[in-house]
Amino acid sequence: MNIENLVAIQQEYYDERAVEYDDTFVPYQEAASPALLERLASGELGGDVLELAPGTGYWTRHLVKRSATLTAVDGSASMIEVARAKGLGDVEFIQADLFTWQPHRQFDGVFFAHWLAHVPLEYFDDFWARVAKALKPGGVVEFVDVTPLERIGEVEDQVDPEHAVVRSLADGREFRIVKIFFEPAELERRLTALGWDCTIEEVAPGFFYGRARRAGETGSGE
């Protein structure tokens, strides 16, 4: 499988999907939102927060309420345009390729939802190394994603069914994208091996909420 080509197709898909994204994503996410938002509310995010892959801003609207500053970095200019049009508040949006992006400063917390599943396993370690660079000492990472239970709603990719799915737009065009379905325990093992202390729990059927910080570090308020 050509990872670079697959990632490029994935980016094209989200660029093209931006104008119709909320039509399908919002109803899908709302079913699990109460449990996920409860975890966000009881979490440690605050101060200067970095959101990765905000898309059209579903989670941005909640993060801005609990942040002193909020910086949101997405690979799609089209997604950012839709998010900005919502008037979500004082958010600094940055368009950058999240597979090559380097943090321009450090933050108290990093958040991403439904992004980790789109990171190829070949890029996994490097991605988390850059997340670590983005954190102040004691900073926290919180994240939302899906378990293998959600695979039932996807169209299997015939080339690499373990690491990709086929998505369609409203006009019928099809795109292959990266989709890794992690079991929480498996993801905990991967992150522990990379030097993170983490807890990842399935808090709604098919959805998990994770919290991590560099091993041996504690939050500024602890």
Side-chain angles (χ1 to χ4, degrees), residues 34-195:
L36 295 170
L37 289 172
E38 182 179 338
R39 289 304 175 95
L40 178 65
S42 65
E44 302 174 47
L45 286 174
D48 298 324
V49 174
L50 171 67
E51 182 184 12
L52 301 178
T56 59
Y58 182 90
W59 288 93
T60 311
R61 63 188 172 126
H62 298 289
L63 293 170
V64 73
K65 297 174 183 177
R66 55 186 300 121
S67 308
T69 69
L70 180 59
T71 302
V73 183
D74 200 284
S76 171
S78 300
M79 287 284 188
I80 290 175
E81 182 179 357
V82 174
R84 277 189 173 134
K86 295 180 178 180
L88 299 171
D90 189 10
V91 183
E92 179 188 8
F93 285 99
I94 298 173
Q95 191 272 320
D97 181 348
L98 290 176
F99 296 116
T100 59
W101 160 86
Q102 294 292 334
H104 62 291
R105 64 185 181 95
Q106 290 187 309
F107 300 83
D108 297 298
V110 177
F111 178 87
F112 40 92
H114 302 286
W115 165 245
L116 196 58
H118 298 310
V119 177
L121 294 180
E122 291 85 349
Y123 295 175
F124 185 92
D125 292 7
D126 179 66
F127 170 71
W128 280 94
R130 285 182 286 117
V131 170
K133 289 180 182 178
L135 282 176
K136 295 177 183 178
V140 66
V141 185
E142 300 194 13
F143 48 97
V144 172
D145 226 305
V146 295
T147 75
L149 182 64
E150 290 298 289
R151 188 187 294 274
I152 194 171
E154 301 283 0
V155 177
E156 184 177 282
D157 178 63
Q158 297 302 310
V159 178
D160 190 353
E162 291 300 313
H163 304 108
V165 298
V166 177
R167 291 277 185 85
S168 300
L169 298 179
D171 63 10
R173 284 180 293 162
E174 293 186 341
F175 298 80
R176 297 178 64 235
I177 68 167
V178 179
K179 191 70 173 180
I180 311 294
F181 296 90
F182 285 109
E183 291 284 5
E186 174 196 358
L187 186 52
E188 284 187 357
R189 286 193 294 270
R190 283 181 175 272
L191 292 178
T192 299
L194 294 179

Side-chain angles (χ1 to χ4, degrees), residues 191-192 194-198 212-218:
L191 292 178
T192 299
L194 294 179
W196 295 89
D197 286 334
C198 62
R213 57 169 36 96
R214 297 296 290 167
E217 295 185 357
T218 58

Side-chain angles (χ1 to χ4, degrees), residues 8-29:
I9 294 171
Q10 174 171 269
Q11 185 60 69
E12 181 185 1
Y13 166 72
Y14 279 104
D15 285 335
E16 294 294 317
R17 188 183 171 193
V19 294
E20 61 187 64
Y21 185 79
D22 286 355
D23 295 340
T24 52
F25 178 76
V26 172
Y28 168 75
Q29 184 67 100

